[in-house]
Amino acid sequence: MHWMEVTEESSVLTSFYNAEDESNLLLPKLPALPKNYSTTAKIFSEEKSDEIMKLLGDVRLNALVLGGSSGFIEIYAYGMFKIATVTGVAGSCRGLCLSSDLKSLSVITEIQDSSDSEAEITYFQLDTSLLSSYLPEVTRMARKFTHISTLLQYIKLSLTCMCEAWEEILMQMDSRLTKFVQEKNTTTSVQDEFMQLLLWGKASAELQALLMNQLTVKGLKKLGQSIESSYSSIQKLVISHLQSGSEALLYHLSELKGMALWKQKYESLGLDASGIEEAITAVGSFILKANELLQVIDSSMKNFKAFFRWLYVAMLRMSEDHVLPELNKMTQKDITFVADFLTEHFNEAPELYNRKGKYFNVERVGQYLKDEDDDLVSPPNTEGNQWFNFLKNSTHLKESPLLFPYYPEKSLHFVKRQMEGVIDQCLQKPADVIGRSVHQAVCIPLYKISQSEESTPQLIKLPFLWNDKTSNIHYVLFTIVENSISKIHILRRHTDTSRSVSNGILKVEFGNFLNSINESSESRCYSCLDAHFYDDETVTVVLKESVEQEGKERVLAQLPLSSVYTDEDQDSKFIWDSAERLDERSGEIPTRTVFLENQWRVLENMKAQYVSVNGIRKVSCVLSSNLRHVRVFEMDVEDDGEVEEEEEEETTQIAAGEPEELNQPADSQDNVGGASAEELPDETEEPETSLDP
């Protein structure tokens, strides 16, 4: 993985960065999701809504680059939405870096032809000039993609909250009536049983047993309250959240369509107006389905309220309880309303029993929230609807692109999934087009990984890449083993404004900086265990002597590139054929011997193996070979008072320690990177932080 931020500046980009997002002016703010529903909804809750807005407020383009096996490389704008899918790179990705000007992508891969052959480490440089040439357009497009991606998540979580608001208790009426059909001995239908109760005020023994023993007065009251509460919650979520998110999504897709129609700017990036039009149509269909659900909720709330009020009074009379006068009043209009409800909802449906295991579908809202491909059990009745009749008889409007298609037989979940699929498909095209524009500029075989652990150190994680922010310079760090010594190599590729490219490679050896004047001046060799770029001008390395002796510890050091590249021409004298691996001509690579002076520190009592650095925070973290111990170093301490106190303290410790350590100058152990390396803190070492799982 590699994160990068664009540092390129231009008048077009600056005006875009400074301009206020028009959607903030034209669209209402999305309401926060209620936090009492789901943990997933909490990312859009009151406490978290600012974090989402901060993410969307990051206008300057940054990208996450991912590399995997089989040449798989993807670039995600703002780490959220894919803007490029790169294929055709041989081998498994082991390291990568996208330049901050978006002109090139450097990749290190491990290529293995067969399980028996040795793997080969190869450096590829890919030309991503399309991203660089259309940087303002890519930034605007990525910004829209991020908005759309966030809104899809918001709609998904709104629907999740609606599903949680719908309770299983609402199915109780359906299950009770189904059980009643299975157990009753009479041939009278359930609808007729309730109609007789409505018209004559008398119920059969079976219906009375169902109402008084199974449903009960208390249960009916609880069911009525649950339905009203649940339906009200779902209704609020649809109006305030689902519709708001859908309208915002429609706005951003319409803007994206406008961008796609500007073919001079966006056609090369793969924006397709026809595909976006299909996405807009899919969002319109989703909004229609949400409105249909609102109508069903409104109708169901009225029907259930009237039905339960009548049934509650009837059950009170059966139990010979007192009925309040205000409940006892029932007009002819109320009776007609309940009769229509019984006629429409209490029909036995044997085919429904085969599908759902029940004869009735009195509760109509839950079917819209089921995440399944089946058609609705009770779709809305459109007979007599004047608009539907008008469309049916109009040959011109039937296939009009101005009308959103309507799916009366499908659930809200089904239409939502269909919408997500169409949007993903239309936004996938730019990633494919941009990915196909990426082509290979350079391929350099570096070295082979031997299956023998002795000849190939497993101590360096793999080559690291760095792109200089001030000029078009690309660095690659890697090691090649010579005579059992792992030597660091620096490959530098320089591209000037005329696009001419020069390659240079140097081998770095470290001078005998650990010897004091009292020890033998015999030349010593140091192997590089790990290396990272600390900043644009410095490499942090972990070294060890080739022949380890007791008391000779490993070293954390800072390698300034200025000490390596003293002569501009020296690193370009070595010319190689790209068909040959560098390790095959390692002896011909120019060598630069570097003396680190005071830019190092001995890592006492620790078999250091790996290092990770953060130049911005001026911190290095060293990990031991057994992965059990870690030390953190502050690389640039500005407080001189603290430095002097630590020097005195460590000098005292060294004086009380082993005699052979007295030869090491105390100040040299405290200076890393030209300043004191204050260990943070000493307690980090004492408990020896365990990284074991």
Side-chain angles (χ1 to χ4, degrees), residues 300-469:
S300 295
M301 286 179 75
K302 290 177 182 176
N303 289 339
F304 273 118
K305 197 167 185 180
F307 173 70
F308 283 139
R309 186 169 180 239
W310 161 73
L311 191 58
Y312 180 65
V313 172
M315 291 174 68
L316 286 177
R317 285 176 179 155
M318 288 180 197
S319 59
E320 298 181 352
D321 288 341
H322 174 66
V323 180
L324 296 173
E326 57 268 21
L327 292 176
N328 211 11
K329 294 176 183 177
M330 196 165 187
T331 64
Q332 186 61 41
K333 187 178 178 181
D334 293 334
I335 294 175
T336 306
F337 198 75
V338 174
D340 290 342
F341 177 74
L342 291 173
T343 304
E344 185 180 350
H345 290 74
F346 279 66
N347 282 324
E348 293 179 31
E351 69 280 358
L352 179 61
Y353 185 79
N354 296 331
R355 281 177 56 192
K356 302 290 183 180
K358 61 182 184 179
Y359 288 103
F360 301 91
N361 192 46
V362 178
E363 200 282 315
R364 301 285 172 93
V365 174
Q367 58 182 348
Y368 285 86
L369 305 177
K370 298 290 184 184
D371 192 5
E372 53 191 30
D373 295 331
D374 292 345
D375 291 347
L376 294 179
V377 173
S378 303
N381 184 12
T382 57
E383 289 182 17
N385 186 298
Q386 294 180 353
W387 173 250
F388 277 94
N389 293 336
F390 173 66
L391 288 182
K392 191 175 180 181
N393 299 325
S394 172
T395 54
H396 298 290
L397 286 177
K398 245 180 212 177
E399 304 298 329
S400 173
L402 300 175
L403 297 178
F404 296 137
Y406 175 56
Y407 305 96
E409 305 289 332
K410 297 299 181 182
S411 70
L412 184 66
H413 252 295
F414 178 88
V415 179
K416 191 259 306 181
R417 278 192 281 117
Q418 190 178 49
M419 174 187 72
E420 289 174 336
V422 174
I423 292 176
D424 286 344
Q425 188 175 3
C426 103
L427 299 188
Q428 175 64 35
K429 190 176 179 183
D432 296 335
V433 171
I434 294 172
R436 284 197 297 269
S437 74
V438 176
H439 59 273
Q440 179 180 308
V442 177
C443 174
I444 303 174
L446 297 180
Y447 57 87
K448 282 203 171 185
I449 298 180
S450 172
Q451 294 178 350
S452 167
E453 292 188 4
E454 295 179 0
S455 56
T456 300
Q458 305 296 319
L459 307 168
I460 188 160
K461 290 195 280 278
L462 256 165
F464 302 97
L465 316 175
W466 187 264
N467 296 331
D468 195 303
K469 295 177 182 176

Side-chain angles (χ1 to χ4, degrees), residues 33-34 36-37 155 157-170 225-244 289-298 300-301 363-370 412-413:
L33 290 173
N36 55 328
Y37 281 117
I155 290 171
L157 293 175
S158 299
L159 199 50
T160 302
C161 291
M162 288 164 56
C163 293
E164 291 183 16
W166 185 85
E167 303 172 16
E168 288 295 330
I169 192 175
L170 306 184
Q225 291 171 346
S226 297
I227 286 181
E228 187 174 0
S229 170
S230 181
Y231 283 7
S232 298
S233 299
I234 295 172
Q235 193 176 40
K236 288 176 185 175
L237 285 166
V238 174
I239 294 171
S240 61
H241 297 82
L242 209 63
Q243 287 188 331
S244 300
K289 183 56 70 172
N291 283 329
E292 180 191 309
L293 175 59
L294 279 180
Q295 293 173 1
V296 171
I297 291 174
D298 189 54
S300 295
M301 286 179 75
E363 200 282 315
R364 301 285 172 93
V365 174
Q367 58 182 348
Y368 285 86
L369 305 177
K370 298 290 184 184
L412 184 66
H413 252 295

Side-chain angles (χ1 to χ4, degrees), residues 611-663:
V611 65
S612 185
V613 299
N614 189 318
I616 296 174
R617 295 178 178 172
K618 300 178 181 179
V619 168
S620 292
C621 179
V622 181
L623 185 63
S624 63
S625 56
N626 61 7
L627 308 181
R628 292 177 61 85
H629 311 306
V630 63
R631 290 183 187 175
V632 180
F633 295 92
E634 190 171 350
M635 305 300 283
D636 187 9
V637 179
E638 296 178 358
D639 191 339
D640 295 332
E642 291 181 7
V643 173
E644 290 174 4
E645 289 177 10
E646 187 188 64
E647 286 179 359
E648 291 176 5
E649 187 177 326
E650 288 209 11
T651 304
T652 307
Q653 291 175 355
I654 292 171
E658 297 182 12
E660 61 182 299
E661 292 184 359
L662 291 172
N663 295 326

